[in-house]
Amino acid sequence: MMSKKCKYAIKALICLSENYQQGNMFTADIAKKGNIPKKFLEQILLDLKHAGFVGSHQGYRGGYYLIKAPKEINLAEVYRVFDGAIALVPCVSVNYYEKCEDCTDEVSCAIKREFAKIKEQSRLIMKEINFKTFIE
Amino acid sequence: MMSKKCKYAIKALICLSENYQQGNMFTADIAKKGNIPKKFLEQILLDLKHAGFVGSHQGYRGGYYLIKAPKEINLAEVYRVFDGAIALVPCVSVNYYEKCEDCTDEVSCAIKREFAKIKEQSRLIMKEINFKTFIE
DNA sequence: AATTAACTCTATGTATTTGGTAGAATTAAT
DNA sequence: ATTAATTCTACCAAATACATAGAGTTAATT
């Protein structure tokens, strides 16, 4: 399962995609529209900013806006920011590789072999889904 | 990511698959072979028993053995026992359906629409992988 | 019959993650 | 100067993950 944080992030990005190139949006409005706790959403939008998906204007009448075109943001990269690896085991992750603690021989590991296939399929489908597909 | 419990369960099932129709195995031996904490493995094997994958003999020289043929056990069903839904959002899960708390209109929800595709792909690939594929 | 070595079951414990809140600081248009 | 927004850091409670502990049950062997 995906974390709520990640789901909220996706909802926020959908909101901002619908408003793409039409100025910024208030956190409060995104929160209301997406039914997301405002203070929690603030954190999420900051994360999205640090990750380079959104930009912000501070001060009176400030807010958030999408930097990249909706089509140029895919689900895989957003997922990774909030929930980390797409892979189900760390040893097959490209972006978050870690050796499994219990593993004695990674080369011959059947779990690694099979879960590499799963990861690759998941990665491909999540890469195909972008925020234009969400708002259509 | 998959829980360690689920990974340990898969490792145990691989062990038992390799020993299919050759009598039972001791928890201690599976634990040693899989580098799994024995007491934790005991719980897991019990869960696998309650889920109908393995059988056991009690008492002196007792142990666990696979009930179903390795080919007849797929990854999707094992995953569900330990980590629950394959779906990334509860609203697209068949076996663990729940309405999302923050959802206002499930019918028009773009997240539901897109994540249903992801779930279906994941489900298919995980169903294809069985324990014969693991031991080959 | 006693011993031994296995599974069974329930309770407990600790560390991490998740989901969120609080509040002060900063910024900039009005 | 005021107002209304973002920024940043700290904190907190509940749930989950990852075990460990120990008593009880079972059945082959001696």
Side-chain angles (χ1 to χ4, degrees), chain B residues 26-27 42 46 49-50 56-60 64:
Chain B
F26 302 148
T27 305
E42 282 181 14
L46 257 183
K49 186 185 177 184
H50 295 146
S56 69
H57 287 128
Q58 280 202 148
Y60 185 82
Y64 289 94

Side-chain angles (χ1 to χ4, degrees), chain A residues 26-27 42-43 46 49-50 56 58-60 64:
Chain A
F26 301 148
T27 304
E42 282 181 16
Q43 278 181 25
L46 257 185
K49 186 185 177 184
H50 295 145
S56 70
Q58 281 203 147
Y60 184 84
Y64 289 94

Side-chain angles (χ1 to χ4, degrees), chain B residues 87-114:
Chain B
L88 290 176
V89 279
C91 67
V92 299
S93 173
V94 179
N95 296 271
Y96 300 86
Y97 171 83
E98 266 182 69
K99 190 175 174 305
C100 297
E101 290 174 51
D102 56 312
C103 189
T104 45
D105 181 14
E106 204 170 319
V107 177
S108 68
C109 179
I111 293 182
K112 178 169 178 147
R113 184 186 70 222
E114 298 302 321

Side-chain angles (χ1 to χ4, degrees), chain B residues 13-64:
Chain B
L13 286 172
I14 291 174
C15 260
L16 293 170
S17 292
E18 288 167 344
N19 205 55
Y20 182 55
Q21 286 180 328
Q22 296 170 52
N24 62 27
M25 288 185 81
F26 302 148
T27 305
D29 290 338
I30 300 171
K32 201 173 181 184
K33 201 173 170 193
N35 206 12
I36 305 165
K38 193 198 160 199
K39 276 304 224 178
F40 196 21
L41 180 59
E42 282 181 14
Q43 277 181 25
I44 292 165
L45 286 167
L46 257 183
D47 288 341
L48 285 171
K49 186 185 177 184
H50 295 146
F53 297 112
V54 305
S56 69
H57 287 128
Q58 280 202 148
Y60 185 82
R61 300 273 251 164
Y64 289 94

